[in-house]
Amino acid sequence: MERRLLHTPEGVRDIYNSECAKKLVLQDNLHNLLKKYGYHAIETPTFEFFDIFGKEIGTTPSKDLYKFFDREGNTLVLRPDITPSIARCVAKYYAEEDLPVRLCYMGNTFINNTSYQGRLKESTQLGAEMIGDNSVDADAEIIALVVNALKTAGLQEFQIGVGHVGFFKGLVEAAKLQEETETELMNLISNKNFFGVDELIDSLCLNADLKELFSMLGSLSMSEDMLNRAKKLAASYPMVLEALEHLELLLQVLSCYGVEKYVSLEPGMISSYHYYTGIIFAGYTFGSGEPIVKGGRYDNLLPYFGKNAPSIGFAVVIDQLMAALSRQKIEIPVQDNQVLIVYKETSHDNAIKKALSLREQGTGVSLVKWAAHKTVEDYKAYAARMHMQDITFME
């Protein structure tokens, strides 16, 4: 029974020692970057009412939520996603603000994945949201911030794939696809089954222009030539054309930030979060099988909470980023400045005074009373285990 109590539930884990220290440093570095871009910190509750993440909002499926009840019988959920909470907060506290609101956050999210997926059920996200600006400049600022966040973390090789919800929706609308066909198509794209996409498209009665546009959903990167070709093909499909022109303009603004080499256009990018309305994006690097950052524009989310304001944001999945940094052998510099003072009873007063003095100077100090049965070597080994850089014995 006692051994069983040492285990954590499936999908969650302890983070301790150097890993925890590195995680805190990484989070601090990223948070400082967000502050430089003018984003103000905000915290929202770990659990909210069920409706904040309900089907109408279009976030996480109900079966993947951790649900419970309060004393009044209300259904509550551990947040699977922080963006809807930020939207609720902004609608409540910035209801009259008609200029941009920039907010950043850090917190844990909880998704009850099925066990065979092997994913963590609790993960840490750090993100930023810009509320009240629907311009391409706002889109570019967020993408540039994402790039600089990953560079700040230490990554050198990564790519931000950017798509537009309007491209896929416009094609579905133009082809007049039934809901079940659209769902099948989305599943094929999500699973990267592009042969299946082609097979499905071939089975539909579409004109040549539309069929060629659909075939671009399988492209992992849209070149400039392909973009120009797509714009010509989309001349009769306003939603598709508008999405392509927006992406083209976005690339131009990103060049002002000097981050365009990290960005590629992915026409087939889709998201399971239904609240996205414009650009959507995801960041990838090697050493991580999952995106390390996700985000997009969600102009229709805040109206659910009573405020009409366009919005865009992103979230860095800290756990995935940490895993990628580790596998790429990129160190997170941790400033260790810890001292162990081992004292005997007769030097009790002096040990405390020395510890206070060192702490005033910024040094971390641990005091340990010298046990009679312990040797100097025992304490040296202990200092090493506790990641202390120096040790002082006071007799």
Side-chain angles (χ1 to χ4, degrees):
M1 177 62 78
E2 291 179 358
R3 296 297 300 175
R4 183 181 66 81
L5 292 176
L6 298 181
H7 295 286
T8 60
E10 183 182 286
V12 296
R13 69 189 187 100
D14 300 311
I15 300 175
Y16 61 102
N17 274 351
S18 60
E19 183 184 7
C20 190
K22 290 176 181 178
K23 182 175 180 179
L24 292 174
V25 168
L26 176 61
Q27 292 171 173
D28 283 346
N29 291 343
L30 294 179
H31 188 233
N32 287 335
L33 174 71
L34 297 178
K35 284 198 292 185
K36 289 178 182 174
Y37 276 71
Y39 289 78
H40 302 279
I42 187 171
E43 289 186 5
T44 59
T46 305
F47 58 86
E48 301 248 19
F49 289 120
F50 172 80
D51 289 345
I52 298 296
F53 308 101
K55 184 178 180 182
E56 292 73 19
I57 303 291
T59 170
T60 307
S62 176
K63 64 182 175 57
D64 291 341
L65 297 173
Y66 285 97
K67 296 187 278 287
F68 54 102
F69 303 98
D70 64 12
R71 296 171 66 172
E72 286 71 40
N74 297 306
T75 304
L76 308 176
V77 296
L78 290 177
R79 61 186 178 199
D81 175 15
I82 299 179
T83 297
S85 297
I86 301 292
R88 175 192 56 73
C89 240
V90 170
K92 181 176 181 181
Y93 299 109
Y94 297 90
E96 304 303 322
E97 183 57 69
D98 59 359
L99 288 172
V101 176
R102 288 176 168 84
L103 299 171
C104 61
Y105 61 84
M106 184 179 61
N108 286 8
T109 58
F110 306 84
I111 297 179
N112 194 9
N113 301 307
T114 52
S115 57
Y116 66 81
Q117 291 176 314
R119 296 172 179 165
L120 286 173
K121 298 183 177 183
E122 178 184 17
S123 58
T124 304
Q125 293 189 359
L126 180 146
E129 314 287 346
M130 188 196 298
I131 316 292
D133 190 338
N134 64 354
S135 69
V136 71
D137 285 2
D139 291 357
E141 176 180 308
I142 287 292
I143 297 289
L145 185 49
V146 167
V147 171
N148 283 320
L150 298 184
K151 290 170 71 177
T152 297
L155 284 179
Q156 298 175 357
E157 297 183 45
F158 60 89
Q159 201 67 23
I160 310 297
V162 181
H164 196 293
V165 169
F167 185 76
F168 181 78
K169 283 188 174 178
L171 290 179
V172 169
E173 182 180 284
K176 296 181 172 55
L177 297 187
Q178 298 295 317
E179 186 175 347
E180 57 270 24
T181 307
E182 178 185 349
T183 302
E184 183 182 355
L185 185 59
M186 288 183 70
N187 289 335
L188 290 169
I189 294 171
S190 297
N191 294 321
K192 307 293 184 189
N193 183 358
F194 299 119
F195 292 107
V197 171
D198 290 339
E199 190 175 2
L200 177 62
I201 297 306
D202 286 340
S203 70
L204 303 173
C205 185
L206 302 176
N207 66 47
D209 288 356
L210 204 51
K211 189 170 285 190
E212 187 173 343
L213 284 168
F214 265 107
S215 72
M216 293 180 181
L217 292 171
S219 302
L220 295 178
S221 179
M222 179 179 261
S223 65
E224 184 177 350
D225 289 343
M226 188 185 294
L227 179 60
N228 289 330
R229 173 69 179 162
K231 283 166 50 184
K232 288 182 181 176
L233 294 169
S236 303
Y237 311 111
M239 188 184 297
V240 179
L241 183 60
E242 186 179 337
L244 293 167
E245 289 177 339
H246 188 94
L247 290 173
E248 184 179 39
L249 187 56
L250 175 66
L251 289 180
Q252 292 173 11
V253 182
L254 285 175
S255 67
C256 297
Y257 285 96
V259 300
E260 66 274 19
K261 74 172 185 177
Y262 298 100
V263 177
S264 58
L265 298 186
E266 290 188 22
M269 179 165 288
I270 56 175
S271 173
S272 59
Y273 286 4
H274 298 160
Y275 57 64
Y276 286 131
T277 56
I279 68 162
I280 51 175
F281 52 87
Y284 301 93
T285 186
F286 59 91
S288 173
E290 299 281 335
I292 51 177
V293 58
K294 296 178 284 190
R297 173 163 289 283
Y298 50 95
D299 291 349
N300 296 335
L301 180 57
L302 265 79
Y304 280 106
F305 303 101
K307 180 179 174 67
N308 288 314
S311 311
I312 183 170
F314 72 89
V316 176
V317 187
I318 296 294
D319 307 271
Q320 292 290 347
L321 179 56
M322 288 276 294
L325 291 170
S326 174
R327 287 166 188 155
Q328 295 182 28
K329 303 189 184 309
I330 296 173
E331 282 296 321
I332 300 173
V334 177
Q335 298 294 326
D336 281 327
N337 189 18
Q338 295 286 324
V339 172
L340 174 65
I341 295 178
V342 184
Y343 64 93
K344 291 188 175 178
E345 184 65 35
T346 52
S347 59
H348 176 265
D349 293 350
N350 288 335
I352 291 176
K353 289 176 182 174
K354 186 176 181 62
L356 290 174
S357 174
L358 287 171
R359 287 167 183 157
E360 284 288 329
Q361 299 168 39
T363 302
V365 181
S366 294
L367 285 169
V368 174
K369 194 172 181 179
W370 200 329
H373 64 284
K374 295 289 187 183
T375 67
V376 168
E377 295 307 317
D378 288 335
Y379 285 111
K380 286 183 177 178
Y382 169 70
R385 291 197 302 274
M386 294 296 112
H387 306 282
M388 295 176 187
Q389 287 67 54
D390 200 4
I391 182 168
T392 297
F393 294 95
M394 299 182 70
E395 300 193 17

PDB file of all heavy atoms in Angstrom, residues 226-245:
ATOM      1  N   MET A 226       3.751  28.687 -56.092  1.00  0.00           N
ATOM      2  CA  MET A 226       2.503  27.979 -55.791  1.00  0.00           C
ATOM      3  C   MET A 226       1.441  28.944 -55.272  1.00  0.00           C
ATOM      4  O   MET A 226       0.254  28.822 -55.604  1.00  0.00           O
ATOM      5  CB  MET A 226       2.766  26.874 -54.756  1.00  0.00           C
ATOM      6  CG  MET A 226       1.562  25.960 -54.522  1.00  0.00           C
ATOM      7  SD  MET A 226       1.824  24.749 -53.201  1.00  0.00           S
ATOM      8  CE  MET A 226       3.120  23.771 -53.945  1.00  0.00           C
ATOM      9  N   LEU A 227       1.881  29.912 -54.482  1.00  0.00           N
ATOM     10  CA  LEU A 227       0.941  30.901 -53.952  1.00  0.00           C
ATOM     11  C   LEU A 227       0.328  31.714 -55.095  1.00  0.00           C
ATOM     12  O   LEU A 227      -0.894  31.936 -55.127  1.00  0.00           O
ATOM     13  CB  LEU A 227       1.658  31.827 -52.960  1.00  0.00           C
ATOM     14  CG  LEU A 227       0.818  32.944 -52.335  1.00  0.00           C
ATOM     15  CD1 LEU A 227      -0.367  32.373 -51.551  1.00  0.00           C
ATOM     16  CD2 LEU A 227       1.683  33.803 -51.397  1.00  0.00           C
ATOM     17  N   ASN A 228       1.167  32.124 -56.030  1.00  0.00           N
ATOM     18  CA  ASN A 228       0.648  32.888 -57.173  1.00  0.00           C
ATOM     19  C   ASN A 228      -0.313  32.044 -58.018  1.00  0.00           C
ATOM     20  O   ASN A 228      -1.331  32.528 -58.499  1.00  0.00           O
ATOM     21  CB  ASN A 228       1.813  33.388 -58.031  1.00  0.00           C
ATOM     22  CG  ASN A 228       2.595  34.488 -57.330  1.00  0.00           C
ATOM     23  OD1 ASN A 228       2.031  35.236 -56.531  1.00  0.00           O
ATOM     24  ND2 ASN A 228       3.882  34.576 -57.607  1.00  0.00           N
ATOM     25  N   ARG A 229       0.063  30.767 -58.182  1.00  0.00           N
ATOM     26  CA  ARG A 229      -0.809  29.859 -58.927  1.00  0.00           C
ATOM     27  C   ARG A 229      -2.153  29.681 -58.212  1.00  0.00           C
ATOM     28  O   ARG A 229      -3.215  29.720 -58.835  1.00  0.00           O
ATOM     29  CB  ARG A 229      -0.107  28.494 -59.073  1.00  0.00           C
ATOM     30  CG  ARG A 229      -0.961  27.390 -59.683  1.00  0.00           C
ATOM     31  CD  ARG A 229      -1.252  27.636 -61.125  1.00  0.00           C
ATOM     32  NE  ARG A 229      -2.053  26.558 -61.709  1.00  0.00           N
ATOM     33  CZ  ARG A 229      -2.727  26.667 -62.844  1.00  0.00           C
ATOM     34  NH1 ARG A 229      -2.692  27.804 -63.549  1.00  0.00           N
ATOM     35  NH2 ARG A 229      -3.410  25.657 -63.314  1.00  0.00           N
ATOM     36  N   ALA A 230      -2.082  29.529 -56.890  1.00  0.00           N
ATOM     37  CA  ALA A 230      -3.308  29.336 -56.108  1.00  0.00           C
ATOM     38  C   ALA A 230      -4.215  30.562 -56.214  1.00  0.00           C
ATOM     39  O   ALA A 230      -5.442  30.425 -56.302  1.00  0.00           O
ATOM     40  CB  ALA A 230      -2.952  29.061 -54.643  1.00  0.00           C
ATOM     41  N   LYS A 231      -3.624  31.749 -56.205  1.00  0.00           N
ATOM     42  CA  LYS A 231      -4.435  32.985 -56.295  1.00  0.00           C
ATOM     43  C   LYS A 231      -5.177  33.029 -57.642  1.00  0.00           C
ATOM     44  O   LYS A 231      -6.337  33.445 -57.711  1.00  0.00           O
ATOM     45  CB  LYS A 231      -3.540  34.211 -56.123  1.00  0.00           C
ATOM     46  CG  LYS A 231      -3.145  34.460 -54.677  1.00  0.00           C
ATOM     47  CD  LYS A 231      -2.003  35.437 -54.536  1.00  0.00           C
ATOM     48  CE  LYS A 231      -2.185  36.699 -55.288  1.00  0.00           C
ATOM     49  NZ  LYS A 231      -1.006  37.571 -55.202  1.00  0.00           N
ATOM     50  N   LYS A 232      -4.499  32.601 -58.703  1.00  0.00           N
ATOM     51  CA  LYS A 232      -5.172  32.588 -60.016  1.00  0.00           C
ATOM     52  C   LYS A 232      -6.324  31.598 -60.018  1.00  0.00           C
ATOM     53  O   LYS A 232      -7.415  31.882 -60.509  1.00  0.00           O
ATOM     54  CB  LYS A 232      -4.165  32.225 -61.111  1.00  0.00           C
ATOM     55  CG  LYS A 232      -3.165  33.338 -61.420  1.00  0.00           C
ATOM     56  CD  LYS A 232      -2.226  32.922 -62.536  1.00  0.00           C
ATOM     57  CE  LYS A 232      -1.222  34.030 -62.831  1.00  0.00           C
ATOM     58  NZ  LYS A 232      -0.227  33.623 -63.846  1.00  0.00           N
ATOM     59  N   LEU A 233      -6.072  30.414 -59.461  1.00  0.00           N
ATOM     60  CA  LEU A 233      -7.114  29.379 -59.436  1.00  0.00           C
ATOM     61  C   LEU A 233      -8.296  29.788 -58.572  1.00  0.00           C
ATOM     62  O   LEU A 233      -9.427  29.357 -58.798  1.00  0.00           O
ATOM     63  CB  LEU A 233      -6.526  28.063 -58.900  1.00  0.00           C
ATOM     64  CG  LEU A 233      -5.456  27.394 -59.760  1.00  0.00           C
ATOM     65  CD1 LEU A 233      -4.798  26.262 -58.980  1.00  0.00           C
ATOM     66  CD2 LEU A 233      -6.065  26.866 -61.061  1.00  0.00           C
ATOM     67  N   ALA A 234      -8.003  30.638 -57.537  1.00  0.00           N
ATOM     68  CA  ALA A 234      -9.054  31.000 -56.571  1.00  0.00           C
ATOM     69  C   ALA A 234      -9.811  32.258 -56.967  1.00  0.00           C
ATOM     70  O   ALA A 234     -10.595  32.761 -56.162  1.00  0.00           O
ATOM     71  CB  ALA A 234      -8.413  31.184 -55.195  1.00  0.00           C
ATOM     72  N   ALA A 235      -9.616  32.727 -58.178  1.00  0.00           N
ATOM     73  CA  ALA A 235     -10.243  33.988 -58.587  1.00  0.00           C
ATOM     74  C   ALA A 235     -11.764  33.967 -58.431  1.00  0.00           C
ATOM     75  O   ALA A 235     -12.384  35.000 -58.158  1.00  0.00           O
ATOM     76  CB  ALA A 235      -9.873  34.294 -60.040  1.00  0.00           C
ATOM     77  N   SER A 236     -12.352  32.792 -58.560  1.00  0.00           N
ATOM     78  CA  SER A 236     -13.825  32.696 -58.457  1.00  0.00           C
ATOM     79  C   SER A 236     -14.300  32.293 -57.068  1.00  0.00           C
ATOM     80  O   SER A 236     -15.501  32.064 -56.876  1.00  0.00           O
ATOM     81  CB  SER A 236     -14.349  31.675 -59.482  1.00  0.00           C
ATOM     82  OG  SER A 236     -13.960  32.028 -60.788  1.00  0.00           O
ATOM     83  N   TYR A 237     -13.373  32.174 -56.137  1.00  0.00           N
ATOM     84  CA  TYR A 237     -13.732  31.720 -54.783  1.00  0.00           C
ATOM     85  C   TYR A 237     -13.236  32.756 -53.771  1.00  0.00           C
ATOM     86  O   TYR A 237     -12.095  32.675 -53.288  1.00  0.00           O
ATOM     87  CB  TYR A 237     -13.124  30.344 -54.499  1.00  0.00           C
ATOM     88  CG  TYR A 237     -13.372  29.349 -55.616  1.00  0.00           C
ATOM     89  CD1 TYR A 237     -12.328  28.890 -56.422  1.00  0.00           C
ATOM     90  CD2 TYR A 237     -14.667  28.907 -55.884  1.00  0.00           C
ATOM     91  CE1 TYR A 237     -12.567  28.013 -57.455  1.00  0.00           C
ATOM     92  CE2 TYR A 237     -14.917  28.033 -56.926  1.00  0.00           C
ATOM     93  CZ  TYR A 237     -13.859  27.587 -57.712  1.00  0.00           C
ATOM     94  OH  TYR A 237     -14.102  26.724 -58.740  1.00  0.00           O
ATOM     95  N   PRO A 238     -14.068  33.742 -53.442  1.00  0.00           N
ATOM     96  CA  PRO A 238     -13.632  34.900 -52.642  1.00  0.00           C
ATOM     97  C   PRO A 238     -12.993  34.530 -51.308  1.00  0.00           C
ATOM     98  O   PRO A 238     -11.975  35.126 -50.931  1.00  0.00           O
ATOM     99  CB  PRO A 238     -14.941  35.681 -52.428  1.00  0.00           C
ATOM    100  CG  PRO A 238     -15.840  35.254 -53.531  1.00  0.00           C
ATOM    101  CD  PRO A 238     -15.479  33.844 -53.841  1.00  0.00           C
ATOM    102  N   MET A 239     -13.576  33.568 -50.582  1.00  0.00           N
ATOM    103  CA  MET A 239     -13.015  33.241 -49.274  1.00  0.00           C
ATOM    104  C   MET A 239     -11.616  32.661 -49.398  1.00  0.00           C
ATOM    105  O   MET A 239     -10.700  32.974 -48.622  1.00  0.00           O
ATOM    106  CB  MET A 239     -13.923  32.242 -48.525  1.00  0.00           C
ATOM    107  CG  MET A 239     -13.504  32.014 -47.076  1.00  0.00           C
ATOM    108  SD  MET A 239     -14.484  30.764 -46.205  1.00  0.00           S
ATOM    109  CE  MET A 239     -16.093  31.517 -46.232  1.00  0.00           C
ATOM    110  N   VAL A 240     -11.424  31.813 -50.407  1.00  0.00           N
ATOM    111  CA  VAL A 240     -10.110  31.201 -50.620  1.00  0.00           C
ATOM    112  C   VAL A 240      -9.100  32.271 -51.044  1.00  0.00           C
ATOM    113  O   VAL A 240      -7.978  32.332 -50.531  1.00  0.00           O
ATOM    114  CB  VAL A 240     -10.194  30.104 -51.692  1.00  0.00           C
ATOM    115  CG1 VAL A 240      -8.820  29.479 -51.931  1.00  0.00           C
ATOM    116  CG2 VAL A 240     -11.200  29.032 -51.281  1.00  0.00           C
ATOM    117  N   LEU A 241      -9.521  33.127 -51.946  1.00  0.00           N
ATOM    118  CA  LEU A 241      -8.624  34.176 -52.441  1.00  0.00           C
ATOM    119  C   LEU A 241      -8.238  35.137 -51.321  1.00  0.00           C
ATOM    120  O   LEU A 241      -7.068  35.519 -51.192  1.00  0.00           O
ATOM    121  CB  LEU A 241      -9.304  34.947 -53.585  1.00  0.00           C
ATOM    122  CG  LEU A 241      -8.456  36.030 -54.249  1.00  0.00           C
ATOM    123  CD1 LEU A 241      -7.192  35.436 -54.855  1.00  0.00           C
ATOM    124  CD2 LEU A 241      -9.262  36.763 -55.325  1.00  0.00           C
ATOM    125  N   GLU A 242      -9.208  35.494 -50.515  1.00  0.00           N
ATOM    126  CA  GLU A 242      -8.926  36.413 -49.405  1.00  0.00           C
ATOM    127  C   GLU A 242      -7.913  35.810 -48.429  1.00  0.00           C
ATOM    128  O   GLU A 242      -7.015  36.489 -47.941  1.00  0.00           O
ATOM    129  CB  GLU A 242     -10.231  36.746 -48.667  1.00  0.00           C
ATOM    130  CG  GLU A 242     -10.072  37.798 -47.586  1.00  0.00           C
ATOM    131  CD  GLU A 242     -11.401  38.116 -46.906  1.00  0.00           C
ATOM    132  OE1 GLU A 242     -12.463  37.875 -47.513  1.00  0.00           O
ATOM    133  OE2 GLU A 242     -11.362  38.596 -45.771  1.00  0.00           O
ATOM    134  N   ALA A 243      -8.057  34.529 -48.160  1.00  0.00           N
ATOM    135  CA  ALA A 243      -7.114  33.855 -47.257  1.00  0.00           C
ATOM    136  C   ALA A 243      -5.704  33.872 -47.839  1.00  0.00           C
ATOM    137  O   ALA A 243      -4.724  34.147 -47.133  1.00  0.00           O
ATOM    138  CB  ALA A 243      -7.577  32.416 -47.009  1.00  0.00           C
ATOM    139  N   LEU A 244      -5.597  33.583 -49.129  1.00  0.00           N
ATOM    140  CA  LEU A 244      -4.282  33.548 -49.774  1.00  0.00           C
ATOM    141  C   LEU A 244      -3.644  34.938 -49.797  1.00  0.00           C
ATOM    142  O   LEU A 244      -2.441  35.091 -49.546  1.00  0.00           O
ATOM    143  CB  LEU A 244      -4.417  32.998 -51.200  1.00  0.00           C
ATOM    144  CG  LEU A 244      -4.818  31.521 -51.290  1.00  0.00           C
ATOM    145  CD1 LEU A 244      -5.224  31.166 -52.719  1.00  0.00           C
ATOM    146  CD2 LEU A 244      -3.672  30.623 -50.828  1.00  0.00           C
ATOM    147  N   GLU A 245      -4.440  35.953 -50.082  1.00  0.00           N
ATOM    148  CA  GLU A 245      -3.904  37.320 -50.120  1.00  0.00           C
ATOM    149  C   GLU A 245      -3.469  37.774 -48.720  1.00  0.00           C
ATOM    150  O   GLU A 245      -2.481  38.486 -48.569  1.00  0.00           O
ATOM    151  CB  GLU A 245      -4.949  38.278 -50.702  1.00  0.00           C
ATOM    152  CG  GLU A 245      -5.161  38.072 -52.199  1.00  0.00           C
ATOM    153  CD  GLU A 245      -6.245  38.955 -52.781  1.00  0.00           C
ATOM    154  OE1 GLU A 245      -7.111  39.432 -52.014  1.00  0.00           O
ATOM    155  OE2 GLU A 245      -6.250  39.151 -54.011  1.00  0.00           O
TER     156      GLU A 245
END
